[in-house]
Amino acid sequence: MSPTPNAPTEPSDADKAMKARVEARLARPVARSSGSLKTPQRSIAYRTEAAFLPVAGKHGEPEAAVLTTAYLEESADPTRRGVCFAFNGGPGSASIWLQFGALGPKRVVVPDDASVGRGPFQAEDNPLSWLQHFDLVFIDPPHTGWSLAASEAARKKALSTDGDIAMLTEVMRLWLVRNRRTSSPLYLCGESYGTTRGAGLALSMLDQGLAFQGVILVSCAMDLQTLVFDHGNDLPYALFLPAFANTAQYHGLLKGALQASSAAAREAAEAFVQEEYAAALLAAGRLSAKQRQRIVNRVAELTGLPRALVDEQNLRISDSCYFAEALRARGQVVGRLDSRACGPVAAQRKNEMEFDPGIEALSSPYTSAALGHYAGSLGLDLEDRYEVLNADVNKQWDWRRGTLGEAPGLQGHTSTSSDLAQALRRHPHLKVLAASGRYDLGTPYSASDWSLARLDAPASVRARVTHRYYDAGHMMYTRQADLEQLQRDLATWLKT
């Protein structure tokens, strides 16, 4: 006897186990604590609520359990008090970087110069917390932190650009409904891939009738074409060059006027890209020998790399090449997330980065402090591993868009800048603040400049986009002076 067409199939043992773990997460009571924070402006009494929220599937069944950690001012008027949702990127990163680096009422202090400090580390009061401006809700997407999907099908959905946006839309909608905050002014802050996600959420939440007043993009990554050094994609070679020049100046690799200041190096590189380099990359093999040699010489001057290497790389210096080669003579590799950082290479020097010195100064301090805060202050006593940076999520990510309805999907590099542009055109009161670290070689400021400038909107709409720059890396807020400047820039932006 043949099975009935479209009859429901029996869940696999793996799906049953995943569902049971999600149900156990959702059954946990809300973890609560209270505290007070003294800021330069005022003292704030607040409560913390950490809860697992369900992401409902088509038939109402939970597809995932997602951890939200909310910091809420006591006795505030919910119709006037804003709510800011925040998350990091990866894909595969939990939200501890923004939570314990800049936004939350507790902060991990690390050395300003991107060097590795000595432990132990713990979260301490953060007088520059964004809690003085609005309530904060940090989200760990599925398979980051302790958040989980309920089946293999749900996991596949969660590990995709469109599925991730859909799931987090539901998480934010549900949080607002459960907490009776749908009438509150709404904001969003995403970092790195969190800006890819955030740009998409600006539009998807608008489709739900929930409009953001402001979107904050920290270390922008809306257009992957600007960041991925694929064969045939010349764009990042041009867009990374000013950031390479800035880094080279910091490490003393430049000469003459270029070494005078970081601004001099950046401005020279920006002008070269606009006036010659982009056109030279486009010309490719049509360059004359004399033209080619001029480009080789100038790229070498601006990056501090040997002319022979620039020539061998066909005028195109990738991020991986720069990390390994810039300080090769010193036996060091340059940091990706903070290029001020550098680390020793192995005795057998390979042409590759085996670890990123830019994250080593942050990973252990943030992880240990976050786990101590969750277990100590909130009483979240889960023994499962807290996935700070889940490499499997990143490896398995489906970058295509338009695939959730079983359509073939759009090919090429992922982009959500069109989502943000449409949201800006549809909602005349939406504004954007972008923050870039000049020593970020993961999402360089110069690539973000291009991405923001090409938003598909008229100049009158793009006027609502503000871009600010800081003298540190991807997590620019780890440097005290930049944390203070970011707070001032945010306060000014909120008043405009």
Side-chain angles (χ1 to χ4, degrees):
M1 184 176 180
S2 60
T4 304
N6 300 320
T9 57
E10 180 69 18
S12 67
D13 289 343
D15 279 356
K16 290 178 181 178
M18 294 174 75
K19 181 181 179 182
R21 292 183 71 195
V22 163
E23 290 175 343
R25 291 281 198 276
L26 296 176
R28 294 183 66 90
V30 178
R32 292 184 169 90
S33 69
S34 60
S36 62
L37 177 68
K38 187 175 182 179
T39 75
Q41 289 73 32
R42 61 194 178 96
S43 293
I44 303 172
Y46 68 92
R47 66 186 185 278
T48 308
E49 298 180 353
F52 287 96
L53 296 187
V55 176
K58 290 182 179 179
H59 305 292
E61 75 287 358
E63 289 188 320
V66 172
L67 179 64
T68 61
T69 305
Y71 298 93
L72 311 167
E73 183 177 8
E74 296 283 12
S75 304
D77 180 355
T79 63
R80 299 178 62 86
R81 176 76 168 163
V83 175
C84 181
F85 293 98
F87 36 73
N88 283 88
S93 175
S95 65
I96 64 170
W97 314 102
L98 285 174
Q99 184 174 350
F100 295 101
L103 278 63
K106 298 289 184 179
R107 177 179 177 240
V108 180
V109 178
V110 294
D112 269 0
D113 62 358
S115 63
V116 178
R118 293 183 179 275
F121 296 93
Q122 56 185 335
E124 58 185 53
D125 282 350
N126 176 20
L128 298 173
S129 169
W130 292 12
L131 191 59
Q132 60 187 287
H133 301 296
F134 28 51
D135 290 339
L136 302 165
V137 183
F138 297 93
I139 303 173
D140 289 344
H143 306 289
T144 73
W146 286 307
S147 300
L148 295 170
S151 67
E152 284 298 332
R155 176 182 172 84
K156 183 178 180 181
K157 176 182 177 181
L159 303 188
S160 69
T161 300
D162 285 350
D164 173 75
I165 290 172
M167 284 192 167
L168 265 68
T169 298
E170 174 59 14
V171 169
M172 291 190 291
R173 184 202 66 81
L174 183 58
W175 190 94
L176 291 170
V177 170
R178 285 193 174 183
N179 290 274
R180 300 182 180 180
R181 298 297 296 272
T182 53
S183 61
S184 297
L186 302 181
Y187 296 85
L188 178 149
C189 178
E191 179 180 308
S192 195
Y193 182 81
T195 67
T196 321
R197 172 189 294 131
L201 287 168
L203 182 60
S204 67
M205 287 289 280
L206 191 59
D207 288 340
Q208 296 280 327
L210 297 167
F212 287 112
Q213 300 299 305
V215 171
I216 302 140
L217 306 173
V218 178
S219 302
C220 191
M222 293 188 298
D223 294 296
L224 272 292
Q225 187 180 4
T226 66
L227 307 175
V228 180
F229 289 85
D230 285 340
H231 177 71
N233 178 28
D234 280 339
L235 190 58
Y237 296 103
L239 296 180
F240 271 62
L241 193 69
F244 288 159
N246 191 68
T247 300
Q249 191 277 338
Y250 180 86
H251 290 291
L253 300 177
L254 305 185
K255 296 179 180 179
L258 293 176
Q259 185 57 37
S261 68
S262 58
R266 288 194 308 273
E267 290 166 7
E270 290 166 7
F272 173 64
V273 169
Q274 291 289 333
E275 296 165 8
E276 292 189 79
Y277 188 48
L281 295 176
L282 186 63
R286 293 169 291 181
L287 286 172
S288 69
K290 183 177 181 180
Q291 289 172 320
R292 179 186 172 87
Q293 191 57 52
R294 186 174 70 249
I295 299 300
V296 166
N297 292 342
R298 191 55 171 165
V299 171
E301 289 170 354
L302 289 166
T303 61
L305 296 173
R307 288 179 173 81
L309 176 65
V310 177
D311 195 20
E312 289 170 4
Q313 295 297 315
N314 195 24
L315 316 181
R316 293 159 173 82
I317 304 302
S318 69
D319 54 353
S320 59
C321 175
Y322 192 82
F323 301 147
E325 298 294 341
L327 299 179
R328 184 177 181 81
R330 303 178 190 175
Q332 294 180 315
V333 63
V334 171
R336 175 177 178 266
L337 292 188
D338 195 322
S339 62
R340 297 175 302 157
C342 54
V345 299
Q348 181 181 2
R349 298 183 186 181
K350 300 179 180 179
N351 295 324
E352 62 184 42
M353 173 189 276
E354 295 181 309
F355 66 95
D356 179 8
I359 193 65
E360 294 301 321
L362 307 179
S363 182
S364 294
Y366 276 70
T367 300
S368 60
L371 290 177
H373 177 75
Y374 276 120
S377 300
L378 288 174
L380 272 178
D381 54 355
L382 282 85
E383 295 184 357
D384 290 357
R385 174 176 172 171
Y386 184 86
E387 296 285 357
V388 174
L389 291 169
N390 191 332
D392 287 340
V393 167
N394 199 282
K395 291 175 183 177
Q396 298 171 28
W397 198 261
D398 182 354
W399 294 91
R400 298 170 298 167
R401 302 208 65 191
T403 59
L404 287 183
E406 299 182 1
L410 301 178
Q411 302 303 308
H413 297 95
T414 298
S415 174
T416 56
S417 60
S418 59
D419 299 54
L420 181 61
Q422 185 182 147
L424 282 163
R425 295 196 308 268
R426 287 173 55 180
H427 182 26
H429 303 297
L430 172 62
K431 57 186 179 180
V432 175
L433 173 64
S436 294
R438 292 193 174 105
Y439 295 97
D440 177 6
L441 294 184
T443 60
Y445 82 91
S446 35
S448 298
D449 279 339
W450 183 89
S451 188
L452 294 168
R454 71 179 293 273
L455 282 171
D456 188 13
S460 60
V461 172
R462 285 187 281 108
R464 288 186 263 126
V465 178
T466 302
H467 195 186
R468 293 289 180 259
Y469 309 90
Y470 305 89
D471 288 319
H474 197 71
M475 290 88 154
M476 74 289 293
Y477 43 78
T478 60
R479 180 173 176 264
Q480 181 66 30
D482 286 335
L483 177 69
E484 294 170 1
Q485 186 61 53
L486 180 61
Q487 169 63 244
R488 290 193 293 269
D489 290 341
L490 174 71
T492 300
W493 176 75
L494 288 171
K495 293 176 182 176
T496 58

